[in-house]
Amino acid sequence: MDCSRFREHIQRFVDGELPDPLVVEFQAHLSFCGDCAAELRELSAVRGALAAWGAAELAAPAGFADRVVAAAQTLPWPTPVGRLTSLAGRARLPRGALVSTRAIVYSALALAAVAIGLETRHRRRSREAKV
Amino acid sequence: MPPSNTHRWTTLPDPSAADLARAAGGDEQAFRSLVERYQGMVYTVAHNILGDHADAEDAAQEAFLRLFRKLRQFRGEAAFGTWLYRLAVTTAVDYRRRERRTPPQVEAREPLADPEQTVLERASCADLVRAVDALPADYRLPLVLRDVHGLEYREVAELLGRPLGTVKVMVHRGRNAVRLRLRATGSLAGER
């Protein structure tokens, strides 16, 4: 039996890409061609095995997350504020108290914002006084 | 039709918008949480594509560093898991293209995940991995992207920068070569 034309259909059938009219013809062929039917079963089985292989999740190597985070720390941080607020650890104040460096950075930014606001208001009042 | 592994991984609950915003802003702890949450997925994708533990670790790390740089570009139009999955695939493909080494004959991992796949009761994981890794690189990568990760042919063609028809031929030949090798080892004996 010349199966060459149908052999070309098998992979497309496995992929679900064989057009409907050809599916009917192909299935009719399968009903009496044991070789093509066996090849179809094998290819379908291979496809199923490959999908199952991919579904098995591997554990990342021990310490992987630590190495990634350490490598990321050598890169420029996405935003300047992010870089500042990412500072890990704590700072020791003059009297020995420990404060998060992040808290210090946020406090400094808040103080700077207040100072800028006061300075702006002072200048505006000065201009108004001159007028 | 076998289930898409993209779908399996990307149905994991996404991190909250607040967590993503913190990581995007450079919060180290928030970024670490993302790495710990998704390291298995990213490492597995890299290993499937590259077929080697050391290369997979390098590529997985590279994927997370890309994530670190690009996180602010994430707009939430797709699920975060989907977005990261694509980033992991792209990074591993780029790594393969850059390194251009033939994957070594890797050790098989046991057990395979889905006990309902009857073929897996006959075809050992070691045979399957050996059959895939014995493929020429031009067949292995498209086959892994298509059948292991469930990408559409169009997506595989875009990722590899190859014509769609060429990619289909590569996948078909690769799939057939795996079939013949598994049959030769007796792993598919029950399918005939």
Side-chain angles (χ1 to χ4, degrees), chain A residues 6-130:
Chain A
F6 294 103
R7 284 276 160 80
E8 292 172 8
H9 293 349
I10 296 178
Q11 296 265 10
R12 293 175 71 194
F13 184 80
V14 170
D15 283 326
E17 293 190 341
L18 195 63
D20 287 345
L22 294 180
V23 167
V24 173
E25 185 187 15
F26 178 57
Q27 286 178 327
H29 174 74
L30 291 177
S31 66
F32 58 82
C33 179
D35 286 347
C36 284
E39 185 169 331
L40 174 61
R41 280 196 300 275
E42 288 179 348
L43 281 170
S44 299
V46 166
R47 190 148 188 239
L50 289 169
W53 173 28
E57 182 167 320
L58 297 174
F64 176 76
D66 290 337
R67 290 192 288 280
V68 170
V69 173
Q73 284 177 332
T74 66
L75 299 174
W77 283 78
T79 65
V81 172
R83 178 70 185 95
L84 289 172
T85 59
S86 74
L87 295 172
R90 294 168 181 272
R92 189 173 293 279
L93 296 181
R95 290 186 179 181
L98 285 174
V99 177
S100 149
T101 49
R102 185 168 304 183
I104 293 174
V105 169
Y106 279 128
S107 301
L109 290 173
L111 283 172
V114 169
I116 290 169
L118 289 173
E119 175 65 16
T120 305
R121 191 171 70 172
H122 174 71
R123 288 186 180 189
R124 191 171 60 239
R125 286 188 174 173
S126 297
R127 277 199 305 273
E128 287 169 357
K130 285 180 186 173

Side-chain angles (χ1 to χ4, degrees), chain B:
Chain B
M1 174 127 353
S4 158
N5 291 319
T6 313
H7 176 73
R8 189 183 74 82
W9 271 311
T10 54
T11 51
L12 291 171
D14 267 2
S16 72
D19 287 343
L20 288 174
R22 277 202 298 278
D27 183 310
E28 180 187 315
Q29 190 52 47
F31 179 66
R32 174 184 290 276
S33 295
L34 287 182
V35 176
E36 289 172 348
R37 184 186 184 105
Y38 288 101
Q39 60 183 347
M41 175 187 85
V42 172
Y43 179 75
T44 302
V45 167
H47 190 274
N48 288 342
I49 289 174
L50 298 169
D52 175 75
H53 287 297
D55 284 349
E57 180 168 353
D58 287 349
Q61 176 165 316
E62 193 174 313
F64 278 114
L65 297 183
R66 283 191 189 185
L67 169 70
F68 180 76
R69 293 190 203 95
K70 292 186 168 186
L71 195 48
R72 295 180 73 205
Q73 297 170 18
F74 176 64
R75 298 279 173 253
E77 290 158 0
F80 177 76
T82 305
W83 188 72
L84 179 56
Y85 182 91
R86 296 301 160 124
L87 184 68
V89 169
T90 306
T91 305
V93 169
D94 288 347
Y95 187 94
R96 161 64 60 226
R97 196 178 284 138
R98 205 170 57 233
E99 299 296 324
R100 265 295 183 200
R101 289 204 301 266
T102 303
Q105 299 297 304
V106 297
E107 67 275 25
R109 52 181 199 262
E110 300 280 2
L112 285 173
D114 188 354
E116 293 179 3
Q117 293 284 342
T118 54
V119 67
L120 298 180
E121 293 167 10
R122 295 184 287 275
S124 79
C125 181
D127 287 341
L128 183 66
V129 173
R130 271 189 221 105
V132 171
D133 286 334
L135 293 172
D138 277 354
Y139 293 173
R140 185 187 187 282
L141 185 51
L143 181 67
V144 167
L145 293 173
R146 168 67 186 171
D147 282 358
V148 177
H149 290 288
L151 270 59
E152 299 292 333
Y153 278 117
R154 174 186 49 77
E155 296 174 299
V156 178
E158 283 172 11
L159 265 173
L160 302 182
R162 306 294 292 266
L164 181 61
T166 304
V167 166
K168 287 186 179 182
V169 169
M170 290 169 164
V171 170
H172 291 173
R173 288 181 181 172
R175 199 186 277 156
N176 199 46
V178 170
R179 174 182 76 92
L180 295 174
R181 188 170 175 120
L182 287 179
R183 193 208 282 171
T185 60
S187 300
L188 284 173
E191 300 300 325
R192 289 197 78 82

